[in-house]
Amino acid sequence: MDLTSIKDPSFLKEMDIPELKKLSKEIRRFLIETLSKTGGHIGPNLGVVELTLALHKCFNSPKDKLLWDVGHQSYVHKILTGRADQFDTLRQYKGLSGFPKRNESMHDVWETGHSSTSLSAAMGMAVARDLKGESSYIVPVIGDGALTGGMALEALNHIGHEKSDMIVVLNDNEMSIAPNVGAIHNMLGKLRTDSKYQRAKDELEMFLKKIPAVGGKLAGTAEKLKDTLKYLFVSGIFFEELGFKYLGPVDGHNFDSLLENIQYAKKTKGPVLLHVITKKGKGYEPAEKDKKGAWHGTGQYKIETGDFIKPVDTPPAWSKLVSDTVLKLAKKDPRIVAITPAMTVGSKLEKFQEELPNRVYDVGIAEQHATTFAAGLATQQMKPFLAIYSTFLQRAYDQVVHDVCRQDLNVFFGIDRAGLVGADGETHQGVFDIAFLRHIPNMVLMMPKDENEGQHMVNTAIQYNDGPIAMRFPRGNGLGVPLDDELKKIPIGSWEVLREGSDACILTFGTTIQMSLEAANNLQKLGISVKVVNARFIKPMDEAMLLSILNTGMPILTVEEAILQGGFGSAVIEFAHDHAFYQQVIDRIGITDQFIEHGSVKDLLQEIGLTAESIVHKIQNILPNKQQKRA
């Protein structure tokens, strides 16, 4: 059928299983062809085709609420809810989001991008339904990786305690982004392979039903026997002990099993956990064979071979530069331990894991635990390196404050994907970390101008012994500058003058340095001399240099690829105020009070006015004799 003609999922009600199977093939072909051009989360979506079709066939969205945890597996849901004709714009500027978006469709009832949130939101929806006396099904779909998140476990506990009517679909594909780790993952593995439990339980229940109604000891003994069998056959009784009716494991690619068990779940009062086994990448051989997470989310690729289409001769990725530098130092320093919350692949720690496997800890999707785990290591004079995305560090804010900074512990935060990340959009833009880290006592916060300075900053962070220290670095590749053979130590809080000037001063760091230098060159052609400073330490600032700049009286412009409120520019203004420079002209360029949607970083920078042209215009505006200078 023509997938672009689909307006809503109601047509599925009339389809039989052979028709559903045919539709599954068509959807997979559509996804493989479309995503080869746009990129996207192909592995997770190929794995949930049958599951998504079965859910939409059995439930009535949007009256019944389908929530997609993390949300990167919602492409099939988007197709079935009338958005297939927009897939050529997927994750592109002003195009279709790669995650559920409430303003995109009434069928997207919960926005996600981070994991482990769906169960708490579903509980809120279930309570609201019950308080309003409404009738609907609440169906969160959560992966086995997301289930390791503490928030998901907190929600399971609450749902089971309240006995709320809810059908939790556990999409178990043994993967989140990288292969899953931990005891919960191992427990699910036992459940996947243990058919004896369900068979024995069914046979026992049939036997008990044949016994005439009796009271007293026999009835009690029968219940104890059932409980004993639970523990005898499966350790994953975890869910039933939490108060859930456990159904499964169910083959997530078998329509007969899916539809039968969903209907059974619909008839069951109280919370139900439907355990569905799926194959990530199902139907496309390169994605099916992936064991390392490379096909979780991709750029463009060749359909015939599965080869990724990458630019030639690109500089090394920032993530790789940082992890390789930490590894180089770890080989000499046995105290260094690397930690990642389920991002071994994204943070490029595979080489570290291969060479020093006993000193890399993937703790699963558990950012809070990762942070306090690092703090615990630091109390024992170890050197923990926590590789974590900026947007995921948000989830561990209390641990940063309470467990690391308050105790002044020597944890090195490698803040990956700092700044705009592009196609993943609002939930992944790493623009808030300066604002939420800068004000915490004891924290050192820095960002390098290029990969050579980056490797020296890593060395600086490892050599630092006086408390927590964080290095921000962007997504993508470096500039391609030569790398020094010998690692150096950069004085904490020191800035660097990149270009002298007398009319105005630009204070900037990281990704905005190149555009600032370009702006300074363009201003020079207009007769305006601009000083450009690499303010590589956001905290502590180079107060001596800043004071000397303020004493010249020249206007200052701060430039940052981050939120302005509470950011670097705010720090400069605070310093000027605290030192009585009340008449000093200070202006700022950065991200205003808004969430930044998806699109290429270039398009997004243009939209928010973070460009060399904008810097030129700002400098011209803040110069006291700007008309004369322009002439």
Side-chain angles (χ1 to χ4, degrees), residues 470-572:
M471 173 181 150
R472 310 175 78 239
F473 53 96
R475 183 179 188 177
N477 302 94
L479 302 177
V481 302
L483 299 179
D484 296 334
D485 292 329
E486 185 177 343
L487 295 178
K488 302 171 186 175
K489 188 176 179 181
I490 302 172
I492 298 294
S494 64
W495 290 355
E496 174 190 32
V497 177
L498 299 176
R499 178 190 176 109
E500 290 290 357
S502 56
D503 294 326
C505 179
I506 298 172
L507 302 178
T508 189
F509 53 89
T511 52
T512 49
I513 282 179
Q514 296 304 312
M515 70 174 71
S516 297
L517 288 171
E518 180 186 344
N521 287 335
N522 293 337
L523 285 162
Q524 186 69 48
K525 295 172 185 176
L526 299 173
I528 300 172
S529 173
V530 178
K531 184 173 188 168
V532 179
V533 174
N534 172 20
R536 56 196 176 189
F537 282 92
I538 300 156
K539 182 184 180 182
M541 298 189 297
D542 191 331
E543 295 187 357
M545 184 182 291
L546 181 53
L547 198 59
S548 70
I549 294 168
L550 288 167
N551 280 321
T552 68
M554 72 171 109
I556 294 173
L557 177 67
T558 65
V559 183
E560 56 193 305
E561 192 179 309
I563 203 79
L564 285 171
Q565 291 89 336
F568 170 71
S570 294
V572 173

Side-chain angles (χ1 to χ4, degrees), residues 575-591:
F575 181 88
H577 174 273
D578 292 346
H579 289 78
F581 288 92
Y582 301 126
Q583 305 304 315
Q584 177 70 39
V585 176
I586 302 174
D587 207 343
R588 302 175 298 160
I589 290 182
I591 298 172

Side-chain angles (χ1 to χ4, degrees), residues 120-133 138 158 162 164-166:
S120 297
M123 183 59 179
M125 294 178 188
V127 168
R129 171 201 62 197
D130 297 342
L131 289 174
K132 293 192 291 184
I138 311 294
H158 187 206
E162 296 291 343
S164 302
D165 287 339
M166 185 188 302

Side-chain angles (χ1 to χ4, degrees), residues 12-25 50 53-54 57 253-260:
L12 293 171
K13 308 294 183 190
E14 307 304 321
M15 296 189 83
D16 58 22
I17 288 178
E19 290 171 324
L20 289 171
K21 289 181 178 178
K22 182 181 178 184
L23 180 57
S24 297
K25 292 181 180 178
E50 290 86 0
L53 286 168
K57 180 176 174 62
H253 304 295
N254 184 305
F255 279 113
D256 291 292
S257 296
L258 280 171
L259 297 174
E260 178 184 359

Side-chain angles (χ1 to χ4, degrees), residues 408-458:
D408 202 15
L409 294 173
N410 193 199
V411 174
F412 172 24
F413 294 89
I415 305 177
D416 200 346
R417 272 66 165 174
L420 297 173
V421 299
D424 284 334
E426 295 161 292
T427 57
H428 284 62
Q429 311 286 16
V431 299
F432 299 107
D433 57 87
I434 293 176
F436 71 70
L437 291 176
R438 184 178 69 82
H439 62 262
I440 307 175
N442 299 325
M443 176 62 79
V444 172
L445 183 59
M446 55 189 179
M447 188 173 191
K449 69 177 185 290
D450 56 37
E451 55 268 45
N452 190 44
E453 187 170 69
Q455 66 168 352
H456 296 317
M457 272 195 181
V458 170

Side-chain angles (χ1 to χ4, degrees), residues 121-229:
M123 183 59 179
M125 294 178 188
V127 168
R129 171 201 62 197
D130 297 342
L131 289 174
K132 293 192 291 184
E134 295 175 349
S135 176
S136 63
Y137 293 100
I138 311 294
V139 189
V141 182
I142 184 168
D144 50 324
L147 197 66
T148 66
M151 187 174 175
L153 300 177
E154 291 171 16
L156 282 177
N157 182 58
H158 187 206
I159 295 164
H161 174 74
E162 296 291 343
K163 304 296 182 187
S164 302
D165 287 339
M166 185 188 302
I167 301 170
V168 175
V169 178
L170 174 57
N171 174 34
D172 182 1
N173 58 24
E174 303 186 59
M175 297 271 282
S176 47
I177 295 177
N180 289 321
V181 297
I184 291 177
H185 168 65
N186 294 335
M187 177 196 73
L188 292 173
K190 292 179 181 177
L191 275 171
R192 287 183 210 110
T193 57
D194 203 324
S195 60
K196 293 183 290 182
Y197 164 59
Q198 194 66 45
R199 185 170 66 248
K201 191 177 81 166
D202 292 343
E203 290 174 357
L204 178 62
E205 287 177 354
M206 288 178 62
F207 170 72
L208 291 174
K209 287 175 183 177
K210 295 177 182 178
I211 300 176
V214 293
K217 293 183 179 179
L218 182 56
T221 301
E223 285 305 311
K224 288 178 182 177
L225 181 57
K226 281 182 66 177
D227 288 341
T228 301
L229 278 172

